[in-house]
Coordinates of all heavy atoms in Angstrom, one line a residue:
M1 N -33.5 19.2 21.9 CA -33.6 18.4 23.0 C -33.0 17.0 22.9 O -32.3 16.6 23.7 CB -35.1 18.3 23.4 CG -35.5 17.4 24.5 SD -35.4 18.3 26.0 CE -36.2 17.2 27.1
N2 N -33.2 16.4 21.7 CA -32.7 15.1 21.4 C -31.2 15.2 21.3 O -30.5 14.2 21.6 CB -33.3 14.5 20.1 CG -34.7 14.0 20.4 OD1 -35.1 13.7 21.6 ND2 -35.5 13.9 19.4
D3 N -30.7 16.3 20.7 CA -29.2 16.4 20.5 C -28.5 16.5 21.9 O -27.5 16.0 22.1 CB -28.9 17.7 19.7 CG -29.3 17.5 18.3 OD1 -29.4 16.4 17.8 OD2 -29.5 18.6 17.6
D4 N -29.2 17.2 22.8 CA -28.6 17.3 24.2 C -28.5 15.9 24.9 O -27.5 15.6 25.5 CB -29.4 18.2 25.1 CG -29.4 19.6 24.6 OD1 -28.4 20.0 23.8 OD2 -30.3 20.4 24.9
I5 N -29.6 15.1 24.7 CA -29.6 13.8 25.3 C -28.5 12.9 24.6 O -27.8 12.1 25.3 CB -31.0 13.2 25.2 CG1 -32.0 13.9 26.0 CG2 -30.9 11.7 25.6 CD1 -33.4 13.5 25.9
A6 N -28.4 13.0 23.3 CA -27.4 12.2 22.6 C -26.0 12.6 23.0 O -25.2 11.7 23.2 CB -27.6 12.4 21.1
T7 N -25.8 13.9 23.2 CA -24.5 14.4 23.6 C -24.1 13.9 25.0 O -23.0 13.4 25.3 CB -24.4 15.9 23.5 OG1 -24.7 16.3 22.2 CG2 -23.0 16.4 23.9
A8 N -25.2 13.9 25.9 CA -24.9 13.5 27.2 C -24.6 12.0 27.3 O -23.8 11.5 28.0 CB -26.1 13.8 28.1
L9 N -25.4 11.2 26.5 CA -25.1 9.8 26.4 C -23.7 9.5 25.9 O -23.1 8.5 26.3 CB -26.2 9.1 25.6 CG -27.6 9.0 26.3 CD1 -28.6 8.4 25.4 CD2 -27.4 8.1 27.6
R10 N -23.3 10.2 24.9 CA -22.0 10.0 24.3 C -20.9 10.3 25.3 O -19.9 9.6 25.4 CB -21.9 10.9 23.0 CG -20.8 10.5 22.1 CD -20.8 11.2 20.8 NE -22.0 11.0 20.0 CZ -22.8 11.9 19.4 NH1 -22.4 13.1 19.5 NH2 -23.9 11.6 18.8
I11 N -21.1 11.4 26.1 CA -20.1 11.7 27.1 C -20.1 10.6 28.2 O -19.0 10.2 28.6 CB -20.4 13.1 27.7 CG1 -20.1 14.2 26.6 CG2 -19.6 13.4 28.9 CD1 -20.6 15.6 27.0
L12 N -21.3 10.2 28.6 CA -21.3 9.1 29.6 C -20.7 7.8 29.1 O -19.9 7.1 29.8 CB -22.7 8.8 30.0 CG -23.4 9.8 31.0 CD1 -24.8 9.5 31.2 CD2 -22.6 9.8 32.3
A13 N -20.9 7.5 27.8 CA -20.3 6.3 27.3 C -18.8 6.4 27.2 O -18.1 5.4 27.5 CB -20.9 6.0 25.9
G14 N -18.3 7.6 26.8 CA -16.9 7.8 26.7 C -16.2 7.7 28.1 O -15.2 7.1 28.2
G15 N -16.9 8.3 29.0 CA -16.3 8.3 30.4 C -16.3 6.9 31.0 O -15.4 6.4 31.6
G16 N -17.4 6.1 30.7 CA -17.5 4.7 31.1 C -16.4 3.9 30.5 O -15.8 3.0 31.1
L17 N -16.1 4.1 29.2 CA -15.1 3.4 28.5 C -13.7 3.7 29.1 O -12.9 2.8 29.3 CB -15.1 3.7 27.0 CG -14.1 3.0 26.1 CD1 -14.4 1.5 26.1 CD2 -14.1 3.6 24.7
V18 N -13.4 5.0 29.4 CA -12.2 5.4 30.0 C -12.0 4.7 31.4 O -11.0 4.1 31.7 CB -12.0 6.9 30.2 CG1 -10.9 7.3 31.1 CG2 -11.9 7.5 28.8
I19 N -13.1 4.7 32.2 CA -13.0 4.0 33.5 C -12.8 2.5 33.3 O -12.1 1.9 34.0 CB -14.4 4.3 34.2 CG1 -14.4 5.8 34.7 CG2 -14.5 3.4 35.5 CD1 -15.7 6.2 35.3
L20 N -13.5 1.9 32.4 CA -13.3 0.4 32.1 C -11.9 0.1 31.7 O -11.3 -0.8 32.3 CB -14.3 -0.1 31.0 CG -14.2 -1.5 30.7 CD1 -14.7 -2.4 31.8 CD2 -15.1 -1.8 29.4
V21 N -11.4 0.8 30.8 CA -10.0 0.6 30.4 C -9.0 0.8 31.5 O -8.0 0.0 31.7 CB -9.6 1.4 29.1 CG1 -8.1 1.4 28.8 CG2 -10.4 1.0 27.9
S22 N -9.2 1.9 32.3 CA -8.3 2.1 33.4 C -8.4 1.0 34.5 O -7.4 0.6 35.0 CB -8.7 3.4 34.1 OG -8.6 4.5 33.2
A23 N -9.6 0.5 34.7 CA -9.8 -0.6 35.7 C -9.1 -1.9 35.2 O -8.4 -2.6 35.9 CB -11.2 -0.9 35.9
L24 N -9.2 -2.2 33.8 CA -8.5 -3.3 33.3 C -7.0 -3.2 33.4 O -6.3 -4.2 33.7 CB -9.0 -3.6 31.9 CG -10.4 -4.1 31.7 CD1 -10.8 -4.1 30.2 CD2 -10.6 -5.5 32.4
C25 N -6.5 -2.0 33.1 CA -5.0 -1.8 33.3 C -4.6 -2.0 34.7 O -3.6 -2.6 35.0 CB -4.7 -0.4 32.7 SG -4.8 -0.3 31.0
W26 N -5.4 -1.4 35.7 CA -5.0 -1.6 37.1 C -5.0 -3.1 37.4 O -4.1 -3.5 38.1 CB -6.0 -0.8 37.9 CG -5.7 -0.8 39.4 CD1 -4.8 -0.1 40.0 CD2 -6.3 -1.7 40.3 NE1 -4.7 -0.4 41.4 CE2 -5.7 -1.4 41.6 CE3 -7.3 -2.7 40.3 CZ2 -6.0 -2.1 42.7 CZ3 -7.6 -3.3 41.4 CH2 -7.0 -3.0 42.7
L27 N -6.0 -3.9 37.0 CA -6.1 -5.2 37.3 C -4.9 -6.0 36.7 O -4.3 -6.9 37.3 CB -7.4 -5.8 36.8 CG -8.6 -5.5 37.6 CD1 -9.9 -6.0 36.9 CD2 -8.5 -6.1 39.0
A28 N -4.5 -5.6 35.5 CA -3.3 -6.3 34.9 C -2.1 -6.0 35.6 O -1.2 -6.9 35.8 CB -3.2 -5.8 33.4
V29 N -1.9 -4.7 36.1 CA -0.7 -4.4 36.9 C -0.7 -5.2 38.2 O 0.3 -5.7 38.6 CB -0.7 -2.9 37.2 CG1 0.4 -2.5 38.2 CG2 -0.3 -2.2 35.9
Q30 N -1.9 -5.3 38.9 CA -1.9 -6.1 40.1 C -1.6 -7.6 39.9 O -0.9 -8.2 40.6 CB -3.3 -5.9 40.7 CG -3.6 -4.5 41.2 CD -2.6 -3.9 42.2 OE1 -2.2 -4.6 43.1 NE2 -2.2 -2.7 41.9
A31 N -2.1 -8.1 38.8 CA -1.8 -9.5 38.5 C -0.4 -9.7 38.1 O 0.2 -10.7 38.5 CB -2.7 -10.0 37.3
A32 N 0.3 -8.7 37.5 CA 1.7 -8.8 37.1 C 2.5 -8.8 38.4 O 3.6 -9.4 38.5 CB 2.1 -7.7 36.2
K33 N 2.1 -8.0 39.4 CA 2.8 -7.9 40.7 C 2.8 -9.3 41.4 O 3.7 -9.7 42.1 CB 2.3 -6.8 41.5 CG 2.7 -5.5 41.1 CD 2.1 -4.4 42.1 CE 2.5 -3.0 41.6 NZ 1.9 -2.0 42.5
R34 N 1.6 -9.9 41.3 CA 1.5 -11.3 42.0 C 2.2 -12.3 41.2 O 2.7 -13.3 41.8 CB 0.0 -11.6 42.1 CG -0.7 -10.9 43.2 CD -2.1 -11.5 43.5 NE -2.9 -11.5 42.3 CZ -3.7 -10.5 42.0 NH1 -3.8 -9.4 42.6 NH2 -4.5 -10.6 40.9
G35 N 2.2 -12.2 39.9 CA 2.8 -13.2 39.0 C 1.9 -14.5 39.0 O 0.7 -14.4 39.2
G36 N 2.5 -15.6 38.7 CA 1.8 -16.8 38.6 C 1.5 -17.3 37.3 O 1.9 -16.8 36.2
K37 N 0.7 -18.4 37.2 CA 0.3 -19.0 35.9 C -0.5 -18.2 35.0 O -0.4 -18.2 33.8 CB -0.4 -20.3 36.2 CG 0.4 -21.4 36.8 CD -0.4 -22.7 37.0 CE 0.4 -23.7 37.7 NZ -0.4 -24.9 37.9
G38 N -1.3 -17.3 35.6 CA -2.2 -16.5 34.8 C -1.4 -15.5 33.9 O -1.7 -15.3 32.8
M39 N -0.4 -14.8 34.5 CA 0.4 -14.0 33.7 C 1.3 -14.7 32.7 O 1.5 -14.1 31.6 CB 1.3 -13.1 34.7 CG 0.6 -12.1 35.5 SD -0.5 -11.0 34.5 CE 0.7 -10.1 33.6
R40 N 1.7 -15.8 33.0 CA 2.5 -16.6 32.0 C 1.6 -17.0 30.9 O 2.0 -17.0 29.7 CB 3.1 -17.9 32.7 CG 4.4 -17.6 33.4 CD 5.1 -18.8 33.8 NE 4.4 -19.3 35.0 CZ 4.6 -20.4 35.7 NH1 5.5 -21.2 35.2 NH2 3.9 -20.8 36.7
A41 N 0.3 -17.3 31.2 CA -0.6 -17.7 30.1 C -0.9 -16.4 29.2 O -1.0 -16.5 28.0 CB -1.9 -18.2 30.7
A42 N -1.0 -15.3 29.9 CA -1.3 -14.1 29.1 C -0.1 -13.7 28.2 O -0.3 -13.3 27.1 CB -1.6 -12.9 30.1
G43 N 1.1 -13.9 28.7 CA 2.3 -13.6 28.0 C 2.4 -14.6 26.8 O 2.8 -14.2 25.7
A44 N 2.1 -15.9 27.0 CA 2.1 -16.9 26.0 C 1.1 -16.5 24.9 O 1.3 -16.7 23.7 CB 1.8 -18.3 26.5
M45 N -0.1 -16.1 25.3 CA -1.1 -15.7 24.3 C -0.7 -14.5 23.5 O -0.8 -14.5 22.3 CB -2.4 -15.3 25.0 CG -3.5 -14.9 24.1 SD -4.9 -14.1 24.9 CE -4.2 -12.6 25.3
M46 N 0.0 -13.5 24.1 CA 0.5 -12.3 23.4 C 1.6 -12.8 22.4 O 1.6 -12.3 21.3 CB 1.0 -11.3 24.4 CG -0.1 -10.6 25.1 SD 0.3 -9.1 25.9 CE 1.6 -9.6 27.0
M47 N 2.5 -13.7 22.8 CA 3.5 -14.2 21.9 C 2.9 -14.9 20.7 O 3.3 -14.8 19.6 CB 4.5 -15.0 22.7 CG 5.5 -14.3 23.5 SD 6.8 -15.2 24.2 CE 5.9 -16.3 25.3
L48 N 1.8 -15.7 21.1 CA 1.2 -16.5 20.0 C 0.6 -15.6 18.9 O 0.7 -15.9 17.7 CB 0.1 -17.3 20.6 CG -0.8 -18.2 19.7 CD1 0.1 -19.3 19.1 CD2 -1.9 -18.8 20.4
F49 N 0.0 -14.5 19.3 CA -0.5 -13.5 18.3 C 0.4 -12.5 17.9 O 0.1 -11.6 17.1 CB -1.8 -12.9 18.9 CG -2.9 -13.9 19.0 CD1 -3.3 -14.4 20.3 CD2 -3.6 -14.4 17.9 CE1 -4.3 -15.3 20.4 CE2 -4.6 -15.3 18.0 CZ -5.0 -15.8 19.3
G50 N 1.7 -12.5 18.3 CA 2.7 -11.6 17.9 C 2.7 -10.2 18.5 O 3.2 -9.3 18.0
W51 N 2.0 -10.1 19.7 CA 2.0 -8.9 20.4 C 3.1 -8.7 21.3 O 3.4 -7.6 21.8 CB 0.6 -8.7 21.2 CG -0.6 -8.7 20.3 CD1 -0.6 -8.3 19.0 CD2 -1.9 -9.2 20.7 NE1 -1.9 -8.5 18.5 CE2 -2.7 -9.0 19.6 CE3 -2.4 -9.6 21.9 CZ2 -4.0 -9.3 19.6 CZ3 -3.8 -10.0 21.9 CH2 -4.6 -9.8 20.8
G52 N 3.8 -9.7 21.6 CA 4.9 -9.6 22.6 C 6.2 -9.0 22.0 O 7.0 -8.4 22.7
H53 N 6.3 -9.1 20.6 CA 7.5 -8.5 20.0 C 7.1 -7.9 18.7 O 6.8 -8.7 17.7 CB 8.5 -9.6 19.8 CG 9.8 -9.1 19.1 ND1 10.6 -8.3 19.7 CD2 10.3 -9.3 17.9 CE1 11.6 -8.0 18.8 NE2 11.4 -8.7 17.7
M54 N 6.9 -6.6 18.6 CA 6.5 -6.0 17.4 C 7.7 -5.7 16.5 O 8.7 -5.3 17.0 CB 5.7 -4.7 17.7 CG 4.5 -4.9 18.5 SD 3.3 -5.9 17.7 CE 2.3 -4.6 17.1
R55 N 7.5 -5.8 15.2 CA 8.6 -5.6 14.3 C 8.1 -4.6 13.2 O 7.0 -4.3 13.1 CB 8.9 -6.9 13.5 CG 9.8 -7.8 14.2 CD 10.3 -8.9 13.3 NE 10.9 -8.3 12.1 CZ 12.1 -8.4 11.7 NH1 12.9 -9.1 12.4 NH2 12.6 -7.8 10.6
D56 N 9.1 -4.1 12.4 CA 8.8 -3.2 11.3 C 8.0 -4.0 10.3 O 8.6 -5.1 9.8 CB 10.2 -2.7 10.7 CG 9.9 -1.8 9.6 OD1 8.8 -1.3 9.4 OD2 10.9 -1.4 9.0
P57 N 6.8 -3.7 9.9 CA 6.0 -4.4 9.0 C 6.7 -4.5 7.6 O 6.3 -5.5 6.9 CB 4.7 -3.7 8.9 CG 5.0 -2.4 9.4 CD 6.1 -2.5 10.4
R58 N 7.6 -3.6 7.3 CA 8.2 -3.7 6.0 C 9.2 -4.9 5.9 O 9.6 -5.3 4.9 CB 9.0 -2.4 5.7 CG 8.1 -1.2 5.5 CD 8.9 0.0 5.3 NE 9.8 0.2 6.5 CZ 11.0 0.7 6.4 NH1 11.5 1.1 5.2 NH2 11.7 0.9 7.4
N59 N 9.7 -5.3 7.1 CA 10.7 -6.4 7.1 C 11.9 -6.0 6.2 O 12.4 -6.8 5.5 CB 10.1 -7.7 6.7 CG 11.0 -8.9 7.2 OD1 11.8 -8.7 8.1 ND2 10.8 -10.1 6.7
D60 N 12.4 -4.8 6.4 CA 13.5 -4.3 5.6 C 14.9 -4.6 6.2 O 15.3 -3.8 7.1 CB 13.3 -2.8 5.4 CG 14.2 -2.2 4.3 OD1 15.0 -3.0 3.8 OD2 14.0 -1.0 4.0
T61 N 15.5 -5.7 5.8 CA 16.7 -6.1 6.4 C 17.9 -5.1 6.0 O 18.8 -5.0 6.8 CB 17.1 -7.5 6.1 OG1 17.1 -7.6 4.7 CG2 16.1 -8.5 6.7
V62 N 17.8 -4.5 4.9 CA 18.8 -3.6 4.4 C 18.9 -2.4 5.3 O 19.9 -1.9 5.7 CB 18.6 -3.2 3.0 CG1 19.6 -2.2 2.5 CG2 18.7 -4.5 2.0
A63 N 17.7 -1.9 5.7 CA 17.6 -0.7 6.6 C 18.2 -1.1 7.9 O 18.9 -0.3 8.5 CB 16.2 -0.2 6.7
E64 N 17.9 -2.3 8.4 CA 18.4 -2.7 9.7 C 19.9 -2.9 9.6 O 20.7 -2.5 10.6 CB 17.8 -4.0 10.1 CG 16.4 -3.9 10.5 CD 15.7 -5.3 10.7 OE1 16.4 -6.3 10.7 OE2 14.5 -5.3 10.9
A65 N 20.4 -3.4 8.5 CA 21.9 -3.6 8.4 C 22.6 -2.2 8.3 O 23.8 -2.1 8.7 CB 22.2 -4.4 7.2
N66 N 22.0 -1.2 7.7 CA 22.6 0.1 7.5 C 22.4 1.0 8.7 O 23.0 2.1 8.7 CB 22.1 0.8 6.2 CG 22.6 0.1 5.0 OD1 23.7 -0.5 5.0 ND2 21.9 0.2 3.9
E67 N 21.7 0.6 9.7 CA 21.5 1.5 10.9 C 22.8 1.7 11.6 O 23.6 0.8 11.9 CB 20.5 0.8 11.8 CG 19.1 1.4 11.8 CD 18.2 0.8 12.8 OE1 18.6 0.4 13.9 OE2 17.0 0.6 12.4
G68 N 23.0 3.0 11.9 CA 24.2 3.3 12.7 C 25.5 3.5 11.8 O 26.5 3.9 12.4
Q69 N 25.5 3.3 10.6 CA 26.6 3.5 9.8 C 26.7 4.9 9.2 O 25.7 5.5 8.9 CB 26.6 2.5 8.6 CG 26.8 1.1 9.1 CD 27.0 0.1 7.9 OE1 26.8 0.5 6.8 NE2 27.3 -1.1 8.2
A70 N 27.8 5.4 9.1 CA 28.1 6.8 8.7 C 27.8 6.8 7.2 O 28.2 5.9 6.4 CB 29.5 7.2 8.9
T71 N 27.2 7.9 6.7 CA 27.1 8.1 5.3 C 28.0 9.3 4.9 O 28.6 10.0 5.7 CB 25.6 8.5 4.9 OG1 25.2 9.6 5.6 CG2 24.7 7.3 5.2
K72 N 28.1 9.4 3.5 CA 29.0 10.4 3.0 C 28.6 11.8 3.6 O 27.5 12.2 3.5 CB 29.0 10.4 1.5 CG 30.1 11.2 0.9 CD 30.2 11.0 -0.6 CE 31.4 11.7 -1.2 NZ 31.5 11.4 -2.6
G73 N 29.6 12.6 4.1 CA 29.3 13.9 4.6 C 29.0 14.0 6.1 O 28.8 15.0 6.7
E74 N 28.8 12.8 6.7 CA 28.6 12.8 8.2 C 29.8 12.4 8.9 O 30.6 11.6 8.4 CB 27.4 11.8 8.5 CG 26.1 12.2 8.0 CD 25.0 11.2 8.4 OE1 25.4 10.2 9.0 OE2 23.8 11.5 8.1
S75 N 29.9 12.9 10.1 CA 31.1 12.6 11.0 C 30.8 11.6 12.0 O 31.7 11.2 12.8 CB 31.7 13.8 11.5 OG 30.7 14.5 12.3
A76 N 29.5 11.3 12.3 CA 29.1 10.4 13.4 C 28.7 9.0 12.8 O 28.2 8.9 11.7 CB 28.0 11.0 14.2
G77 N 28.7 8.0 13.7 CA 28.2 6.7 13.3 C 29.4 5.7 13.1 O 30.6 6.0 13.2
D78 N 29.0 4.4 13.0 CA 30.0 3.4 12.8 C 30.6 3.5 11.4 O 30.0 3.9 10.5 CB 29.4 2.0 12.9 CG 28.8 1.8 14.3 OD1 29.4 2.4 15.3 OD2 27.9 1.0 14.5
P79 N 31.8 3.0 11.2 CA 32.4 3.1 9.8 C 31.7 2.1 9.0 O 31.2 1.1 9.4 CB 33.9 2.7 10.0 CG 33.9 2.0 11.3 CD 32.8 2.5 12.2
P80 N 31.5 2.5 7.6 CA 30.9 1.6 6.7 C 31.7 0.3 6.5 O 32.9 0.2 6.8 CB 30.8 2.3 5.4 CG 31.5 3.7 5.6 CD 32.0 3.7 7.1
D81 N 30.9 -0.8 6.2 CA 31.5 -2.1 6.0 C 32.4 -2.0 4.7 O 32.0 -1.5 3.7 CB 30.4 -3.1 5.7 CG 30.5 -4.3 6.7 OD1 31.5 -4.3 7.4 OD2 29.6 -5.1 6.7
R82 N 33.6 -2.6 4.8 CA 34.6 -2.5 3.7 C 34.7 -3.8 3.0 O 35.6 -4.1 2.3 CB 36.0 -2.1 4.2 CG 36.0 -0.8 4.8 CD 36.1 0.3 3.8 NE 36.3 1.6 4.4 CZ 35.7 2.7 3.9 NH1 34.9 2.6 2.9 NH2 35.9 3.8 4.6
R83 N 33.7 -4.7 3.1 CA 33.7 -6.0 2.4 C 33.5 -6.0 1.0 O 32.9 -5.3 0.3 CB 32.8 -7.0 3.1 CG 33.2 -7.4 4.5 CD 32.3 -8.5 5.0 NE 31.7 -8.0 6.2 CZ 30.8 -8.6 6.8 NH1 30.3 -9.7 6.4 NH2 30.3 -8.1 8.0

């Protein structure tokens, strides 16, 4: 009996969370359509905390530099640097 009640409460809590997140997303989209100072403030807050531009956490500049270059045995990609 207690397991059934716990399961029902868990399902209700999960459904409520989905509804809450959906409502917040809908409100964010409506605010973005209107624009204004509130959206600029939200964008500034996201940039402040680094959410506006996510990067590779490894910060591997060598991998970024080698992206798109052809390796031995491949026929596609940019030619390797000859410096």
Side-chain angles (χ1 to χ4, degrees):
M1 176 89 166
N2 286 338
D3 291 337
D4 295 338
I5 293 173
T7 303
L9 287 176
R10 199 172 295 135
I11 289 171
L12 281 173
L17 183 64
V18 167
I19 290 171
L20 178 68
V21 169
S22 299
L24 289 175
C25 288
W26 183 79
L27 287 173
V29 168
Q30 295 302 315
K33 285 181 180 177
R34 281 192 305 271
K37 290 182 183 179
M39 287 309 292
R40 280 188 281 175
M45 181 195 69
M46 288 193 300
M47 285 188 293
L48 177 67
F49 290 108
W51 297 334
H53 179 70
M54 298 298 263
R55 278 190 53 115
D56 183 10
R58 295 177 301 145
N59 199 18
D60 193 355
T61 54
V62 175
E64 291 172 4
N66 289 335
E67 254 181 35
Q69 291 186 352
T71 58
K72 192 172 185 175
E74 290 182 357
S75 59
D78 295 335
D81 237 351
R82 298 280 186 218
R83 287 188 242 175

